[in-house]
Amino acid sequence: MATTFWVGEIYDPAAADGSQVISAYDGWWYERFGGCDGVIEDGVCQTEPRTAENDFFPTSMTPKQNPFYLDLPFDDVNNDAAFAQRGRIPWADDPGYAGNLENREFSYMKNRWVQLRYKGSTCYAQIQDAGPAEYDDVDYVFGDGNTGPKSTRFNGAGMDVSPAVVGCLGFTELNGTQTGVSWRFVDDVDVPDGPWKTIVTGSGYDWSSGGPAAK
C-alpha cells in the first residue's frame, strides 16, 4: 500500500511530522526543491495530475531536485531505534557509506534508488524522507521475508510517493492510497534512463542553520 505526499504539503500543522516543507533528512527541503511540488491555490500548496506529456514534472514550477521521490518508514539519523539498526542496511559497508555507522550527520537512506511497480508499470524514485507514521520499521524495510509494515495508519501504507510517481505508475487516485504496489532497492548503476534521471538529487543530510547554500 502506498500513499501520496509532495514537497510543500501541510496535512496537519499540529503534528511534528505533518509538514512536507521539511523532510527527515533536509531542514531546507522546500527551498532546495525549488518550492511547491504542485500548484498553490489560496496560499496552499496542492497536488496536481501529472502526465507523460511533460515527463510527469510539475506544471507550474521548475524543480531543482528530482521530482521522483518517496519515503520509507526508517529514519536512520533522527530515530534512535533506527539509528541503532543501521548495520542491517545492505549497503552499509559499501564504498561511500562504510565507516559512517556512528555519524549522526550522515544518512544511508537519503537519495537511495527504489524501483516501484504497479499494474505493469515500472518507475524509479529516490528516497528523500522517512515515513509514513513509523520511523524504525526495520523488518519491513530490510527484512528477508515478506513482512508488511507495522503501521496501521493511512490504510497500512508502507511508503509515501510523489506526484510524479503517482502519475508514472497510473494510480487510480490523485491523493489517496493505492494497493498493489511492489518495490525493491536498486543501485544507481542499475537505474535505467527515464524521466526520473532528468534531475538526480545529490544533496546529503542537512539540518544545519546555514540554509540551502550550505551544501
Side-chain angles (χ1 to χ4, degrees):
M1 184 75 72
T3 188
T4 62
F5 77 149
W6 56 93
V7 178
E9 176 193 17
I10 299 178
Y11 65 86
D12 186 355
D17 58 355
S19 168
Q20 306 307 332
V21 172
I22 58 177
S23 82
Y25 308 121
D26 193 346
W28 305 92
W29 196 22
Y30 188 87
E31 291 84 358
R32 281 203 177 89
F33 188 82
C36 170
D37 185 15
V39 292
I40 296 178
E41 299 177 353
D42 298 325
V44 179
C45 178
Q46 305 281 10
T47 190
E48 61 174 349
R50 301 291 173 83
T51 69
E53 232 175 88
N54 70 333
D55 289 335
F56 309 103
F57 271 51
T59 63
S60 301
M61 60 89 73
T62 301
K64 298 177 181 178
Q65 294 187 338
N66 194 350
F68 289 80
Y69 54 85
L70 77 156
D71 67 18
L72 287 172
F74 190 81
D75 179 352
D76 74 309
V77 177
N78 306 292
N79 183 280
D80 289 341
F83 184 81
Q85 298 269 17
R86 300 211 303 180
R88 288 186 61 179
I89 298 175
W91 54 89
D93 293 325
D94 288 355
Y97 293 92
N100 282 290
L101 283 180
E102 301 305 317
N103 183 0
R104 284 277 189 177
E105 298 297 316
F106 181 90
S107 171
Y108 286 84
M109 299 295 288
K110 190 177 188 302
N111 302 331
R112 288 297 299 194
W113 286 96
V114 172
Q115 179 195 72
L116 302 112
R117 292 176 174 172
Y118 173 70
K119 286 191 174 180
S121 295
T122 301
C123 305
Y124 295 79
Q126 290 181 276
I127 296 171
Q128 297 301 335
D129 200 3
E134 296 288 340
Y135 301 94
D136 62 347
D137 198 348
V138 65
D139 291 326
Y140 168 65
V141 178
F142 301 114
D144 294 331
N146 194 24
T147 304
K150 64 182 180 181
S151 172
T152 58
R153 295 179 61 194
F154 312 114
N155 292 331
M159 65 175 66
D160 292 301
V161 298
S162 72
V165 175
V166 170
C168 182
L169 290 178
F171 282 7
T172 56
E173 291 186 40
L174 179 63
N175 181 18
T177 55
Q178 185 66 66
T179 190
V181 181
S182 64
W183 67 275
R184 68 185 181 104
F185 293 113
V186 289
D187 292 328
D188 54 359
V189 295
D190 296 320
V191 177
D193 290 336
W196 42 80
K197 290 185 80 174
T198 302
I199 305 172
V200 176
T201 303
S203 61
Y205 177 86
D206 183 19
W207 264 80
S208 70
S209 59
K215 287 189 180 182

